[in-house]
């Protein structure tokens, strides 16, 4: 798939592919990458395209910020039912990212605020550089999250911390964000994209079925009763273990051709 | 509402209101603010009164401790069914706090132990000063939590940490408590009440419907299946977004009359 | 029960009992305590024996590592349904540990990897020394966890961190593991077993019914809806509180014969 | 307690007590017992009074109908948040009925429509005479149920049947209602109240703790995961079995002083 | 949209629209309307088109049968992961039907078997004529349902009845199907389509927001904990009640311009 | 396996095997097959033995009744925690039946009461003859169900009907029991065993993996959120579909060597 999706020209979300990793870059730096409906549309096509030709996704932002969230300038007067449909549409797009066949890595810097945090939370791994800060100003604006944040960000940091952020408008920096499980890595300023790309490239070498199972089964099993989770695990485990790819990898391991687990550096 | 609820005279739980914030103070310092049934009754009336006239609540304790928990001196011999009803009564009072129309901020210091931790866990935000320590001695006393702790404290810190505290009687200090999500803020000794009041005053300025939605919807959405949570979010989001207050706040923001999200200090 | 179960001779898992604590030691140091089916069988008998004669369990490992996980050399070609039954068998054994009548303490050092982490996660409290590292290499081997890890480890550290570990093969050291709730204690190298034993001895002195309720009710209440959890708590609380042992302990407390809750050191 | 609560004078809901059974009668026959806020208030006090002095409750209606539902004449223009609070208030009252310490029996005839069906669904047993018909016209009125019907009626008849009733305005007669689990008994016209009273009197002779456990534990256990339900059952079962009342009843049975289970007539 | 969707020419699923109702007709009578991937694709476009221009949907089948299920002739050899993706694709299409903005009515006759029953179960109301029979032969074919039947058909009839059908291959006729909640109406042979159309036309006159809430909120509320369901109901109820359409309909009712609830015929 | 397990001599539960079906017969006719702990032990060994050598199980009773339930003569005075363990032991045995690798068919006649109904509810299909009646007298005896009935019987008939049975001691005959989903078949007096055997023999010819999936996955999927259920179905479906047995059966079907789905007689 060498030329097919490479560096397409999109105004709001650029798309490039390198070594099996699709890189989607939010590209409205002058608006702090505010998420308009057009940005969401472009994200949707980028995610769809990546399914066909990439084995991992990186999402990052141009300029000084990952994303300052919902483009409030676009906040048209809507009837309540229109508001429901608008929120449901965002859910649909972010669901395609979260339930993707391939894992997604968010590279964060600067503002990761409101809808920006909701987008980051729909990725599977989050790498933040030291300039990153997280906030959910919806509470102080008189509104509520509508892009899945109450589900995804709430499950990441827990209800109490999210309540605090929404009630008080509190900002949280990268280190605090790591302690609160809002990101899994903190790197020096400017290095988030490179680190995310490195992790994505590594994950891209896993068996596709393992990756599919990891990103899709783990959150579901966490939502089930324990007994049901064990049952499901046994099916996912048995199905991956009997795939030809697993056989090959296990053989490589037994023949000492595969790396052992290393101590953390 | 200047004079109506201001500084009422209550023996066990004092009630005062300042700038839309109701302050409930546990007032049995000589008993380390142990929670007797009379204290629970006073808490109940204070919470009810705050619904009518305040936009936020602060709960704190007089003396050296927030609360050392259930007043064991009162632990009458009960039949099992009486024990069930007693526990259910506490649940009812703490539920009124947690499902309140207005957010509650706990200001913690000294012992936050047993029922004291259960009370703190029913508030939405917890501010601890550096003298604070948390413990659940019920396990070593041969009993079990009965004021909602297995639900609320378990959801805050996770089952494994709570199991450890109950099995071994372990005490946890303020810093550890923050890492374990038992409190969201740690401040110098003696400053918890002021910080809680500051946060409560800030939250009191939010739109009441936003506050109601934040404190009521977030924990429920966290307990639902993901798909159901998204659906509910879309209704809460659409309803808050179409309120006149949200319109006014968004206009203020677009006209640059509202504060932007700031980096954390 | 002084001589009955003391220091039995088992090849793969040694069993000894001291002061009401059963100590199960994984004993394949040359294989980094890899978990073969025979190890699982020995664990099962050790757990069963402990129910009858001990009031707490410690699980630890001989050699340089707690356990490097599933013995891949044993990974026979299985049909999918055989794979399901194999996984279900492990679930059954680890369930007996987790739903035990007496609490289990894991003493960790070196590799706590794959199935080794799944075993540790089925214990109630985890003590790690500073040499400990955690990893889930299943993702990079093309397989999936099958010993309950998707349920138990996922609930400990949260889905996002586990996803990261499985997608990227990341290793996590003891301190990070504590922050991620993979262990509740970190001690100097070589001291995990002693600390686990100290904690187990302490817990062994609790009322058996309290211990049973703590380790069995807390995880279940955490999985229920909040309202249901409160209801269940009221029954567990009432039943423990009316036991003769609770009465005796409360009397001791009121008569100042029992220790007060102490501040953390 | 012979005279204490007997035949109090209430305009909208009459209250009388006979042989330990409190009878609450909706008393707005000229309005087809439409449920206004005042009716709800009177129901609330009747339910509260019954807790103290009765061992079972019967709810029935004067005139030609049980209740035609929400009093639409009272449907004031409300803001959305006022609508939320109004609905929550009804939920609170009906919850006190459903989570009562004593079982409630609904005697149904004529229209059991909208809020009338929601009230009936909050009782534990429903007896319908042959004139009874059930309907949920909310869908065709452009609104939605707000008195708990989506939870309680949905759990009784299943989602598909309730969807049909709400989409099409379909009416369901007593026989069909029995098949759909909307009532558990169908009796000849005019006999519902007598049958409900007979059943209530019978249940009033059970041990109070058994009744409490039956009406409170069964719906909760049904909402839990299976494994959790079994665990809870074991506590409820053990606690009831060790009560003095159970001992006496079991002895009576063993000594053949208690009735055996009889074949259905 | 006068000409756009009217009677389009599709080979496998014909589409016509009449009085705001879109009628999708399975059109492979010679194959007993077996569901091939092409049929699923055509269903998907029909459902999508109906969202834009219809207020209700009817799904029926040409020939002697509604649908005999999965086209086994198409059952290509797939790897397990391809099988997962194939099943997930069907889920996606049927989800669009079930979570549609407008209600769907299935008109059933003859065989409603396997995938045919899964399709019918994704509609909101099912009308069967007397020739209808239901079966799930997957069990006897050595496979399992894969089009959502384990979720949707299981929730309709309950697990025990579905287990029986799958273990024994049992066929169930229309009357039994009605008792088992597989259909809500039974009509004489040949009249299912007309009855479904009549019901769909009636529902098409409801307020769109009511219909949306009924078909989307009821199944979700049924899956939540009771307390969460009540909370959600209050939001859905408040939002529908404050819509202009609801106001108009309530006014019509109060001014006696709207039909009262009628007794069933 | 013709002779291995055939017609073993057990006093309380006889075991015989015929055509791959293990038949377990409760054999205390003089005690109306009351369930003592010894009966439970014998059931446990019978179920275990059947796993190894049978492809289906039938459970029936000698004498005039299937089982009148718990042997109250054995109801020793137990402490609450002993009561918990006793109930948990029954749960364990009945779980082995319900989560068996092979399906279980109950043949019912006469009294199916209390623990007898709990045992029947742990089977997958229930065949009742016309003499059958169901009752749950626990409520009137001052106790509660303890053999899993609150979970299994509640899920079969729904909470409201079970509440009625327990509050009023109501007996339900075979026809009513079928309508309430307590049994799936009603046959003439004396024919339940033969019918159960016929159904079991039929199911015994299914692919073992299909049977395993049907009886284990369906109840779990029913307990999960809808989205999670669909996901799990896709794995179960893909794994069964790629088994050699499924391939052979589908080929037989396509080559018209397998029976088509027949209309119900």
């Amino acid at each position: 798939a060498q030329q097919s999706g490479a560096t397409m020209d999109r105004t709001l979300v650029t798309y490039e592919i390198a070594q099996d990793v699709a890189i989607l870059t939010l590209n409205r730096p002058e608006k702090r990458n505010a998420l308009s409906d057009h940005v969401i549309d472009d994200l949707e096509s980028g995610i769809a395209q990546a399914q066909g030709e990439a084995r991992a996704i990186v999402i990052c932002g141009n300029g000084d910020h990952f994303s300052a969230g919902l483009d409030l300038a676009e906040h048209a007067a809507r009837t309540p039912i229109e508001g429901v449909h608008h929120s449901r549409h965002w859910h649909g797009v972010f669901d395609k990212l979260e339930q993707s066949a391939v894992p997604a890595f968010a590279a964060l810097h600067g503002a990761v605020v409101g809808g920006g945090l909701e987008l980051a939370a729909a990725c599977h791994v989050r790498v933040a550089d030291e300039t990153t800060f997280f906030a959910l100003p919806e509470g102080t604006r008189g509104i509520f999250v509508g892009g899945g944040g109450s589900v995804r960000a709430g499950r990441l940091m827990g209800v109490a911390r999210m309540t605090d952020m929404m009630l008080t408008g509190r900002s949280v920096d990268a280190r605090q964000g790591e302690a609160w499980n809002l990101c899994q890595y903190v790197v020096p300023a400017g290095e988030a994209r490179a680190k995310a790309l490195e992790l994505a490239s590594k994950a891209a070498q896993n068996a596709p079925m393992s990756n599919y199972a990891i990103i899709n089964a783990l959150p579901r099993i966490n939502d089930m009763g324990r007994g049901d989770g064990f049952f499901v695990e046994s099916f996912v485990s048995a199905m991956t273990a009997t795939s030809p790819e697993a056989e090959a990898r296990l053989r490589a391991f037994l023949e000492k051709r595969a790396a052992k687990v290393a101590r953390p550096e």
Side-chain angles (χ1 to χ4, degrees), chain A:
Chain A
Q2 65 198 91
Q3 86 282 34
S4 73
T7 326
M8 285 179 45
D9 197 85
R10 271 203 202 82
T11 311
L12 299 172
V13 180
T14 66
Y15 180 102
E16 59 195 305
I17 187 159
Q19 291 168 290
D20 288 336
V21 178
I23 306 173
L24 281 70
T25 309
L26 302 173
N27 192 25
R28 292 179 88 195
E30 75 291 355
K31 291 281 191 181
R32 307 204 309 165
N33 292 324
L35 299 173
S36 64
D37 284 348
H38 285 120
V39 172
I40 297 297
D41 289 346
D42 277 8
L43 271 171
E44 185 170 24
S45 5
I47 295 161
Q49 185 171 345
Q51 304 297 312
E53 64 193 25
R55 297 182 67 162
I57 294 172
V58 165
I59 298 190
C60 55
N62 266 344
D64 294 337
H65 302 280
F66 176 72
S67 169
L70 181 65
D71 191 348
L72 290 176
E74 223 188 29
H75 184 78
R78 293 195 187 92
T79 64
I81 186 70
E82 287 167 350
V84 168
H85 288 307
H86 188 256
S87 170
R88 298 298 285 152
H89 176 59
W90 281 46
H91 293 157
V93 175
F94 288 7
D95 257 8
K96 282 180 191 155
L97 180 59
E98 192 175 40
Q99 301 184 18
S100 165
V102 300
F105 296 76
L108 307 176
H109 72 296
V112 182
V113 167
L117 177 47
E118 293 181 288
L119 170 59
C123 295
H124 305 99
V125 176
R126 278 155 295 281
V127 180
D129 83 5
E130 287 170 343
T131 69
T132 305
F133 62 98
F134 304 95
L136 290 169
E138 282 83 351
T140 55
R141 304 269 181 260
I143 56 176
F144 194 75
V145 286
S150 65
V151 174
R152 291 193 189 98
R155 273 157 163 84
L156 284 178
M157 67 181 126
V159 167
R161 287 161 174 165
M162 184 164 172
T163 299
D164 179 19
M165 288 180 75
M166 290 193 72
L167 284 177
T168 67
R170 175 178 189 178
S171 270
V172 169
D173 67 21
R175 282 287 159 212
Q176 185 82 30
E178 188 190 18
W180 283 21
N181 196 23
L182 288 172
C183 56
Q184 292 113 318
Y185 296 88
V186 180
V187 294
E191 299 185 11
R193 189 179 180 280
K195 179 70 176 178
L197 204 47
E198 175 202 324
L199 294 167
S201 302
K202 197 163 185 187
Q205 296 164 38
N206 292 345
M209 188 161 170
S210 269
N211 279 351
Y212 179 81
I214 292 166
I215 62 183
N216 283 284
L218 287 183
R220 295 184 182 285
I221 288 173
N222 206 51
D223 271 10
M224 294 172 191
R226 300 171 78 89
D228 297 330
F230 293 130
F231 177 78
V232 173
E233 184 190 83
S234 72
F235 270 77
V236 177
S237 167
M239 197 190 285
T240 48
T242 52
S243 69
E245 257 184 315
E247 296 291 339
R249 282 162 193 262
L250 289 171
R251 216 175 315 115
F253 177 80
L254 293 173
E255 296 166 3
K256 320 246 180 218
R257 289 180 286 116
K260 282 189 132 180
V261 172
R263 280 180 190 280
E265 295 141 39

